[in-house]
Amino acid sequence: MAEIKIPNHVGIIMDGNGRWAKLRNRPRTFGHKKGSDNVDRITTEAFKRGVKTLTLYAFSTENWSRPKEEVDALMGLLEKYFLKFIGKAVKKNVRVCVIGDKKVFSPKLQKVIKDCEDASKKNTGNVLNIAINYGGRQEIVRAVNNLIKKGKKITVESISENLYTTKNGEPDLIIRTGGEYRLSNFLMYQGAYSELYFTDVLWPDFDEKELDKALDEYAKRNRRFGGVK
Ligand code: IPE
Ligand code: IPE
Ligand code: MG
């Protein structure tokens, strides 16, 4: 196989769990369970293909408006995910970071996230950012307020340095599954020049083959960043 241009940083909007379950006459939470099972598979495959940083959108600041039962199920799945990941991250040399406002999570979820982040802090391999209670607009407002508090100048660079994602924060490619053509408040600042890839495939069905399709498409894109190429 010829060498293809691999994106350094990929963001994924993991959408379509609810519809995946509905198609099977199952509750939406069943789709979330399937979706969470898919996270590990795609993470492993993406890193295997040379992606260095992955940022996964797991729960937006707007997702709190869903029925309590669904929100509780999602929080429960996240807890399980981090518990399972603590040992694995260390073994795989992956650094795990949660981006978003963590203060509102249950003490238990906050603890497993902290344990996972602490256990993987010194890992030097891949970076896995998980966006939970994350909103791109809120992130920009927070960054600007931090700068004002510190008496710093507001510049493109200083805002960038005060976002949740600092180093290598700008995704080369953003993939959205589930057939919607929008960003839904994901990486609003960092995504200014990201290549966007939309697929109708629902997140639980997004497998290695679908990942390769997205990477192949990325390899064909001509990134000009406003210049001429
Ligand atoms: C994405 O799947 C997961 C989250 C937003 C937490 P959805 O739950 O949005 O699934 P659809 O879009 O309703 O199918
Ligand atoms: C975006 O999906 C958020 C995540 C995938 C976590 P949504 O399902 O919340 O987005 P909208 O409501 O269709 O824009
Ligand atoms: Mg959705």
Side-chain angles (χ1 to χ4, degrees):
M1 207 175 81
E3 280 282 309
I4 72 160
K5 185 177 72 181
I6 295 286
N8 195 44
H9 180 175
V10 176
I12 308 183
I13 303 172
M14 307 181 290
D15 195 23
N17 294 345
R19 278 163 287 162
W20 186 91
K22 197 168 177 221
L23 282 169
R24 288 158 181 81
N25 291 316
R26 302 292 297 267
R28 292 178 56 84
T29 49
F30 180 68
H32 293 314
K33 168 80 182 61
K34 273 285 169 188
S36 78
D37 291 342
N38 199 31
V39 172
D40 231 13
R41 162 164 78 160
I42 293 304
T43 304
T44 305
E45 293 300 324
F47 290 159
K48 234 197 251 172
R49 283 155 175 73
V51 171
K52 294 281 180 291
T53 301
L54 257 186
T55 301
L56 306 178
Y57 203 10
F59 193 91
S60 74
T61 43
E62 289 74 39
N63 286 147
W64 296 106
S65 66
R66 295 186 178 201
K68 185 177 182 304
E69 184 195 274
E70 182 172 346
V71 170
D72 289 348
L74 283 164
M75 292 297 144
L77 285 168
L78 285 165
E79 240 173 67
K80 278 202 198 111
Y81 174 83
F82 286 106
L83 262 176
K84 237 172 65 188
F85 208 90
I86 295 168
K88 263 195 263 172
V90 177
K91 226 172 52 205
K92 293 184 177 174
N93 198 21
V94 174
R95 178 162 181 202
V96 182
C97 303
V98 169
I99 62 169
D101 183 2
K102 296 180 251 195
K103 291 191 300 285
V104 299
F105 300 150
S106 73
K108 192 160 171 223
L109 181 55
Q110 290 196 41
K111 182 177 182 325
V112 287
I113 288 174
K114 188 171 185 311
D115 288 349
C116 201
E117 287 182 328
D118 287 350
S120 67
K121 203 160 51 195
K122 298 210 173 94
N123 288 352
T124 52
N126 296 104
V127 176
L128 177 61
N129 297 314
I130 306 190
I132 318 171
N133 190 24
Y134 172 88
R137 289 173 169 179
Q138 291 85 337
E139 182 187 33
I140 297 167
V141 171
R142 175 183 168 273
V144 173
N145 278 324
N146 280 345
L147 289 165
I148 293 171
K149 235 184 281 163
K150 290 188 258 179
K152 295 258 173 69
K153 234 174 119 181
I154 314 287
T155 64
V156 168
E157 291 75 24
S158 71
I159 292 176
S160 178
E161 283 159 13
N162 279 270
L163 299 171
Y164 289 118
T165 52
T166 43
K167 252 187 270 158
N168 188 24
E170 301 184 4
D172 301 294
L173 169 68
I174 293 177
I175 298 171
R176 182 172 188 144
T177 64
E180 311 290 357
Y181 301 155
R182 54 177 172 260
L183 291 174
S184 303
N185 210 5
F186 184 54
L187 302 179
M188 299 310 293
Y189 198 87
Q190 300 91 327
Y193 270 101
S194 301
E195 294 298 323
L196 307 179
Y197 177 85
F198 299 99
T199 170
D200 287 339
V201 174
L202 305 171
W203 172 249
D205 292 328
F206 188 84
D207 59 10
E208 296 85 327
K209 264 197 353 237
E210 296 300 330
L211 175 66
D212 284 333
K213 275 194 216 164
L215 295 177
D216 286 347
E217 167 68 27
Y218 172 81
K220 289 188 214 140
R221 300 275 177 97
N222 180 7
R223 303 186 76 190
R224 284 187 288 275
F225 299 98
V228 185
K229 233 197 263 174

